[in-house]
């Protein structure tokens, strides 16, 4: 599985960072930074949750 | 059977906690239907979680409040202020770059850095409350001053002026303010912020407005941004502090849970946000093209009013939705909206609420309401739900 972030769509809400700060971060401008591109174990659930919560639909998963 | 039309919005809440039965019937019998607004105009009410999320991520629905068909929930609100739209009133392609200029000020990391200062502010206000007379009004002692002071420090607005901007903010959020008075409050706040920003241009300080001066060529756009952040930054969180405290005081077992395990406070805050959904109409839109939504054709020029309070109790989205379950752990509620306009200050609000609830019940374990909770003056007359006064004792 791979996490894909569309930084043009990102609105910096930070929902992904709140979901799992070990997988997602924000740069100084608020834009999403994917720390773990290929999540495994519990981080898979985090990634799915973050995709569901992202208000800008900037996150997606390639299975 | 089809629900009777038209229902009229807004409807007073049936009880402080719950949407009225009339709204619920609307959702169950016809989830998207025509409603009459206070102006006499009609709009579509949308009540399902899934439909609201779809609507709020569809660019064919506009946020532009200057659109003459934009649905407004306050009679006489459609006044031409002649001012530039703030972020909440912008559409693409204008909105994205404007939000980008300021969103870095509200990252999770930046909010976390504010934690010690917010804790200090909360402690100081609880000290003052404990030193003062009993009963105390929680709204004046804690709910309103804490978020006001926090947003003032962040923006660089002198807190000494709080009576001035709190008065005008509450007039703007009241549904019964006459149009002329509403316009006067908007003008007063804009003039005040315009002068403040002018001073910051001369003498920049380490605050959000000074930093934005480097990013914004358009002074009027910056005044609009300051206006939005100041008004939205204190009333909303203030009301959640009051309502959340009320809910906790009715549930001593929930207070015990967060005291024994502070990691439970953040999920509790999330559940309180869902449960009260204080700004349920903030996400209204107007269709700029014909759109089919939830099997209904919404035509270009028609207004759309989501009832987020109902959507946050949609049984298709939340199990046993009418229960306040602080351990629910569900974060897909719409209390902060959804889509590109989702609340800019949401992580600041979360942090303030978390610190307040953790600190308040730890420091005043005997806190209790000084009047029966059902006699509290609830803000049935305001665009953001809350409590006008909350006498508490200990």
């Amino acid at each position: 599985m791979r996490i894909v972030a569309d930084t043009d769509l990102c609105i910096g809400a930070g929902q992904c960072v709140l979901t799992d700060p070990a997988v997602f971060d924000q740069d100084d401008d608020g834009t999403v930074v994917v720390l773990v591109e290929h999540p495994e174990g519990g981080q898979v659930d985090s990634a799915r949750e973050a995709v569901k919560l992202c208000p800008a639909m900037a996150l997606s998963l390639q299975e | 059977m089809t629900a009777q039309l038209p229902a009229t919005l807004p409807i007073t809440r049936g009880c402080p906690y719950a949407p009225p039965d009339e709204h619920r019937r609307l959702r169950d019998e016809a989830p998207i239907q025509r409603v009459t607004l206070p102006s006499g105009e009609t709009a579509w009410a949308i009540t399902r979680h899934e439909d609201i999320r779809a609507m709020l991520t569809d660019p064919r629905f506009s946020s532009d409040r200057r659109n003459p068909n934009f649905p407004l929930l306050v009679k006489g609100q459609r006044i031409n202020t002649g001012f530039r739209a703030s972020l909440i009133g912008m559409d693409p392609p204008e909105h994205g770059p404007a939000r980008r200029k300021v969103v870095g000020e509200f990252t999770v990391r930046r909010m976390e850095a504010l934690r010690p200062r917010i804790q200090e502010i909360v402690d100081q206000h609880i000290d003052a409350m404990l030193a003062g007379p009993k009963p105390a009004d929680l709204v004046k002692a804690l709910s309103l001053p804490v978020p006001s002071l926090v947003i003032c420090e962040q923006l660089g607005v002198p807190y000494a002026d709080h009576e001035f901007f709190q008065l005008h903010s509450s007039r703007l959020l009241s549904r019964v303010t006459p149009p002329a008075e509403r316009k006067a409050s908007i003008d007063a706040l804009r003039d005040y912020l315009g002068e403040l920003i002018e001073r910051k241009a001369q003498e920049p300080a380490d605050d959000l407005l000074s930093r934005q001066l480097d990013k914004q060529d358009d002074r009027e756009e910056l005044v609009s941004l300051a206006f939005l952040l100041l008004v939205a930054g204190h009333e909303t969180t203030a009301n959640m502090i009051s309502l959340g405290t009320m809910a906790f005081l009715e549930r001593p077992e929930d207070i015990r849970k967060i005291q024994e395990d502070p990691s439970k406070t953040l999920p509790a805050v999330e559940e309180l946000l869902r449960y009260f959904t204080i700004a349920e109409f903030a996400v209204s839109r107007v269709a700029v093209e014909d759109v089919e939504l939830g099997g209904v054709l919404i035509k270009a020029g028609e207004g759309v009013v989501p009832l987020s309070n109902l959507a946050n109790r949609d049984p298709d989205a939340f199990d046993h939705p009418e229960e306040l379950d602080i351990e629910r752990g569900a974060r897909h509620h719409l209390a902060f909206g959804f889509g590109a306009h989702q609340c800019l200050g949401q992580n600041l609000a979360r942090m303030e609420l978390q610190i307040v609830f953790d600190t308040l019940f730890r420091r005043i374990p005997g806190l209790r309401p000084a009047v029966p909770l059902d006699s509290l003056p609830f803000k049935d007359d305001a665009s953001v739900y809350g409590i006008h006064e909350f006498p508490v004792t200990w």
Side-chain angles (χ1 to χ4, degrees):
Chain A
M1 176 189 281
R2 177 168 167 254
I3 301 173
V4 182
D6 185 332
T7 51
D8 289 336
L9 288 178
C10 177
I11 58 152
Q15 294 273 25
C16 52
V17 186
L18 286 187
T19 304
D20 196 336
V23 179
F24 300 97
D25 198 359
Q26 286 168 289
D27 66 18
D28 288 343
D29 295 326
T31 304
V32 59
V33 176
V34 177
L35 300 174
V36 180
E37 198 181 353
H38 298 282
E40 287 177 8
Q43 294 184 336
V44 171
D45 291 338
S46 301
R48 290 192 200 286
E49 176 79 355
V51 168
K52 181 171 116 179
L53 291 173
C54 176
M57 299 193 292
L59 294 175
S60 57
L61 298 174
Q62 284 179 352
E63 302 283 343
Chain B
M1 183 192 146
T2 310
Q4 283 184 323
L5 290 174
T8 304
L9 293 180
I11 304 174
T12 304
R13 293 193 181 204
C15 85
Y17 292 108
D21 291 340
E22 196 175 348
H23 277 201
R24 221 169 304 182
R25 204 188 65 214
L26 212 115
R27 179 187 68 204
D28 295 343
E29 295 180 10
I32 300 182
Q33 64 166 281
R34 299 295 282 174
V35 287
T36 304
L37 304 175
S39 60
E41 295 163 11
T42 56
W44 292 100
I46 305 187
T47 57
R48 276 195 306 224
H49 188 270
E50 184 187 346
D51 291 338
I52 294 180
R53 273 179 50 134
M55 195 275 284
L56 291 175
T57 49
D58 188 328
R60 293 173 295 178
F61 292 101
S62 163
S63 296
D64 188 349
R65 279 140 177 88
R66 291 162 302 182
N67 185 316
N69 296 320
F70 192 92
L72 297 172
L73 274 291
V74 175
K75 199 174 180 181
Q77 196 177 356
R78 205 179 301 284
I79 44 177
N80 182 9
T81 59
F83 294 123
R84 191 70 50 84
S86 64
L87 281 179
I88 56 165
M90 288 181 187
D91 289 324
E94 194 186 11
H95 175 256
R99 181 169 169 128
R100 244 163 239 271
K101 282 182 198 162
V102 69
V103 73
E105 296 278 353
F106 292 93
T107 60
V108 173
R109 199 190 293 258
R110 273 194 98 112
M111 297 303 98
E112 196 57 47
L114 287 178
R115 182 183 287 277
R117 177 61 187 143
I118 298 174
Q119 180 69 57
E120 194 175 36
I121 290 170
V122 171
D123 276 321
Q124 282 166 356
H125 283 82
I126 292 178
D127 287 344
M129 192 169 135
L130 287 169
K134 290 193 272 188
D137 176 10
L138 187 83
V139 176
K140 278 206 184 75
L142 191 72
S143 307
L144 197 51
V146 167
S148 288
L149 188 49
V150 171
I151 196 70
C152 279
E153 288 190 358
Q154 209 186 2
L155 293 179
V157 172
Y159 184 69
D161 300 332
H162 69 275
E163 282 181 13
F164 165 80
F165 55 76
Q166 284 171 356
L167 171 74
H168 290 297
S169 299
S170 66
R171 280 187 187 158
L172 286 177
L173 292 172
S174 168
R175 290 192 188 119
V176 294
T177 303
E181 206 174 295
R182 178 177 301 278
K183 171 94 165 63
S185 283
I186 293 172
D187 288 343
L189 279 169
R190 293 206 56 116
D191 288 348
Y192 170 77
L193 290 167
E195 285 168 25
L196 179 70
I197 288 165
E198 195 53 51
R199 285 206 303 278
K200 288 187 187 296
Q202 307 304 321
E203 289 178 55
D206 182 18
D207 57 45
L208 186 153
L209 294 179
S210 297
R211 284 189 291 273
Q212 286 293 305
L213 274 162
D214 295 334
K215 297 185 179 182
Q216 301 263 14
D217 300 329
D218 188 330
R219 195 64 61 86
E220 201 183 305
E221 191 176 317
L222 184 53
V223 174
S224 290
L225 178 71
F227 188 104
L228 173 71
L229 296 179
L230 183 62
V231 175
H234 69 272
E235 266 279 341
T236 45
T237 310
N239 288 317
M240 277 308 302
I241 292 173
S242 299
L243 290 165
T245 302
M246 175 187 76
F248 268 117
L249 290 179
E250 278 202 311
R251 295 166 172 74
E253 70 281 11
D254 284 346
I255 296 178
R256 269 198 302 279
K257 278 182 194 167
I258 63 165
Q259 296 297 26
E260 284 166 11
D261 182 359
S263 74
K264 287 185 174 168
T265 309
L266 203 50
V269 163
E270 217 64 61
E271 173 68 347
L272 290 165
L273 289 163
R274 177 192 77 89
Y275 201 68
F276 288 110
T277 315
I278 57 172
E280 71 172 318
F281 300 117
V283 286
S284 298
R285 297 287 187 266
V286 57
V288 288
E289 289 179 40
D290 291 358
V291 189
E292 196 184 310
L293 184 73
V296 172
L297 177 67
I298 295 172
K299 292 191 176 149
E302 291 179 334
V304 183
V305 182
L307 275 57
S308 311
N309 191 14
L310 276 178
N312 278 340
R313 291 160 185 250
D314 182 342
D316 289 338
F318 302 93
D319 293 335
H320 53 91
E322 300 296 338
E323 281 176 36
L324 198 168
D325 173 3
I326 64 162
E327 295 179 272
R328 178 186 297 275
R331 293 170 49 214
H332 60 293
H333 60 76
L334 303 170
F336 289 121
F338 197 69
H341 288 274
Q342 193 177 50
C343 178
L344 191 64
Q346 58 179 301
N347 294 316
L348 177 58
R350 283 187 176 98
M351 174 158 303
E352 289 178 320
L353 292 167
Q354 182 191 8
I355 293 172
V356 164
F357 296 136
D358 271 339
T359 312
L360 181 62
F361 302 121
R362 174 170 52 76
R363 296 209 42 206
I364 320 183
L367 189 74
R368 60 183 191 277
V371 297
L373 290 176
D374 59 9
S375 73
L376 290 175
F378 291 99
K379 292 189 180 176
D380 289 318
D381 55 353
S383 305
V384 178
Y385 191 64
I387 311 176
H388 288 292
E389 279 175 40
F390 188 177
V392 291
T393 191
W394 51 92

